[in-house]
Amino acid sequence: MTMIECDKHGPNEATFVCSHILETLRTKTPRGFNWDFDEEGGIQAFCDSCWNATDEEWLEISADTCRMICLGCLKDAAAINGFEFDPEPYRNAEGKA
């Protein structure tokens, strides 16, 4: 688990999101919230548009759209989308999915 320092939440777990999730945090406008664990057990989340992108579309936009935010900010974005986000029940003893 990678830790980062967040101005709002302090030391916290790093997560990877699409830039549209950041826009949700800035504007408080829901854009959908879809999450999963990556191959290493890290949390990643995407708006509806990115989540539904084809593999080809994602290859074209992923380099420009992926961002890192803390878990606390991710929970804030989930709440804006009407979703209570808690990944802990899905992790094993090593902290992975």
Side-chain angles (χ1 to χ4, degrees), residues 22-73:
L22 290 179
E23 281 299 308
T24 291
L25 288 169
R26 280 193 277 274
T27 65
K28 310 294 188 242
T29 303
R31 290 174 174 79
F33 186 85
N34 307 276
W35 74 279
D36 202 351
F37 290 105
D38 64 21
E39 300 82 32
E40 293 146 12
I43 299 168
Q44 53 189 6
F46 306 93
C47 71
D48 288 344
S49 179
C50 288
W51 186 258
N52 293 316
T54 65
D55 289 342
E56 294 80 22
E57 291 168 333
W58 182 246
L59 285 173
E60 288 180 29
I61 65 171
S62 62
D64 294 329
T65 195
C66 289
R67 303 288 185 265
M68 184 187 305
I69 63 173
C70 85
L71 182 57
C73 288

